[in-house]
Amino acid sequence: MLKLCRSIERLATTDVPVLILGESGTGKELLAHALHELGPRADKPFVPINCAAIPETLLESELFGHERGAFTGAVRQTIGKIESAQRGTLFLDEIGDVPQSLQVKLLRFLQDQVIERIGGRRQIQVDVRIVCATNQDLSTKMAHGEFREDLFYRLNGITVRVPPLRDRTGDAVMLATYFLNRFAGEFGNQKKVFNSGAISAIAEFDWPGNIRELENRVKRAFHVGRSGHRAGRSRTRRSSQGNINLDIRAARMKAERQVIQLALAQSNGTISTAAKLLGVSRPTLYGLLEEHGIDVASGSARHESPRLENPP
Ligand SMILES: Nc1ncnc2c1ncn2[C@@H]1O[C@H](COP(=O)(O)OP(=O)(O)OP(=O)(O)O)[C@@H](O)[C@H]1O
Ligand SMILES: [Mg+2]
């Protein structure tokens, strides 16, 4: 995730089209927004459009806009999303769901950076950065002739893959703690903490709905006033059994790494608290962090997550 954040920072300064791939709820839209916010277009609009949520007949008008009288019901001129993103960023969410007829029109716009409103005769020059996302397999769609290859190559300057939460050891607990603190701030309630049972339930759960599910679970737990300790428990299942590595040193290292990450998450990255939780001295913890290559200074998954304390 840290590597991914660094590449988002780098890509933000460019105009390369970025395709963000990842399961539902992994943070695709958040990263698209970051691409916009961290770049030179930040003071211009970021315009998201969910291509799956808008019926085919309306999507064209949503994207390109229409002139008055262009079709029945077009009582006034309407600016489309592409035009309203002028000099900013257009985020085409669920790009895999754009119907074929519109794919051609989208391609034309991407090639020439020019659009025409429906029913309009004027060509309108637009300067828009394109970021797309999907959780569908576009290669399969292309193989089935459902997604145009030429459009794919236009959109896919750089592909960014967002890993599912279950592959991000330590992140679930860290994010859950972040959400718990955030809700405590937002709802003016007293501070709540997860007990150790909740921490391990959160760490062990697979989170099929990823961060969105985690956030909702923590919110629900927060509101039912159960200190969040039921988040993740009811449907807890272990990750796939796989082949168990019998190398005892590797197993020790893995377990050590996990508890260090959990302690850092639970302590919001405060080294002294984490060391106390782990029952080691601060210097020992620094040694362990180095050994495991855990970068505490930039250890938070993203800039909105709690910042971790810098080593002295
Ligand atoms: N690193 C993160 N830190 C804090 N919150 C996050 C992070 N990543 C994602 N979220 C939150 O998780 C939720 C889901 O994120 P987002 O909408 O970006 O995911 P998505 O991949 O677009 O999901 P979907 O495929 O369902 O549209 C949002 O509320 C977002 O704010
Ligand atoms: Mg999304």
Side-chain angles (χ1 to χ4, degrees):
M1 277 311 287
L2 289 173
K3 251 193 231 162
L4 197 152
C5 292
R6 295 299 86 79
S7 43
I8 293 289
E9 285 163 7
R10 269 198 313 275
L11 289 167
T13 59
T14 72
D15 261 349
V16 189
V18 176
L19 175 64
I20 305 176
L21 301 178
E23 286 178 18
S24 184
T26 44
K28 296 187 294 296
E29 180 153 358
L30 205 93
L31 291 171
H33 208 250
L35 273 172
H36 173 76
E37 297 246 294
L38 301 173
R41 294 171 180 266
D43 59 339
K44 295 290 181 298
F46 172 81
V47 180
I49 177 163
N50 185 336
C51 303
I54 300 167
E56 183 170 344
T57 44
L58 294 181
L59 189 56
E60 180 178 0
S61 154
E62 277 290 312
L63 280 168
F64 295 90
H66 60 255
E67 295 295 345
R68 187 175 160 199
F71 45 83
T72 322
V75 287
R76 58 167 171 255
Q77 182 196 63
T78 304
I79 305 294
K81 297 275 189 191
I82 298 177
E83 230 183 305
S84 56
Q86 187 65 283
R87 322 242 345 246
T89 306
L90 179 70
F91 175 50
L92 296 163
D93 202 0
E94 310 293 356
I95 188 71
D97 289 304
V98 173
Q100 303 251 6
S101 59
L102 258 183
Q103 289 179 23
V104 189
K105 291 183 177 147
L106 215 45
L107 180 66
R108 209 174 308 139
F109 146 64
L110 292 171
Q111 278 166 346
D112 307 334
Q113 293 271 306
V114 161
I115 60 154
E116 259 173 56
R117 298 186 195 129
I118 303 175
R121 302 222 161 73
R122 198 158 58 89
Q123 301 230 315
I124 301 162
Q125 191 77 37
V126 276
D127 163 24
V128 169
R129 190 207 182 149
I130 303 290
V131 180
C132 318
T134 181
N135 56 16
Q136 300 195 44
D137 183 359
L138 291 181
S139 319
T140 314
K141 286 210 125 190
M142 280 191 288
H144 292 153
E146 290 160 8
F147 200 86
R148 294 181 66 103
E149 250 177 83
D150 44 10
L151 179 60
F152 176 78
Y153 291 115
R154 274 281 163 183
L155 295 171
N156 184 25
I158 300 274
T159 307
V160 168
R161 280 171 212 279
V162 194
L165 194 49
R166 64 181 168 279
D167 290 348
R168 295 162 53 178
T169 313
D171 274 14
V173 174
M174 183 180 73
L175 285 163
T177 309
Y178 160 73
F179 288 130
L180 194 65
N181 291 337
R182 203 183 79 191
F183 297 142
E186 272 174 26
F187 303 116
N189 272 327
Q190 89 257 40
K191 193 166 158 44
K192 294 182 179 188
V193 290
F194 294 114
N195 63 26
S196 58
I199 295 269
S200 35
I202 293 166
E204 281 169 30
F205 191 54
D206 265 355
W207 298 110
N210 294 293
I211 304 178
R212 186 187 304 287
E213 182 183 12
L214 176 70
E215 183 178 1
N216 289 338
R217 287 277 193 133
V218 175
K219 191 185 270 175
R220 220 182 312 155
F222 190 91
H223 284 307
V224 293
R226 287 176 179 162
S227 328
H229 70 278
R230 288 192 186 276
R233 176 175 288 172
S234 53
R235 283 198 288 136
T236 297
R237 55 185 142 88
R238 310 242 161 203
S239 325
S240 61
Q241 256 93 46
N243 288 335
I244 295 168
N245 186 349
L246 294 178
D247 179 344
I248 198 156
R249 194 182 128 74
R252 265 193 203 135
M253 287 291 280
K254 190 175 162 197
E256 200 171 87
R257 197 182 159 81
Q258 271 177 357
V259 290
I260 293 170
Q261 283 170 325
L262 289 180
L264 285 169
Q266 218 175 338
S267 63
N268 268 348
T270 313
I271 295 288
S272 50
T273 316
K276 221 174 273 166
L277 288 171
L278 291 163
V280 298
S281 68
R282 279 164 48 110
T284 307
L285 181 51
Y286 280 123
L288 288 166
L289 292 174
E290 204 177 310
E291 193 181 338
H292 287 279
I294 299 174
D295 183 2
V296 181
S298 54
S300 58
R302 53 181 314 279
H303 57 277
E304 270 181 28
S305 304
R307 278 260 160 239
L308 301 184
E309 169 190 283
N310 288 311

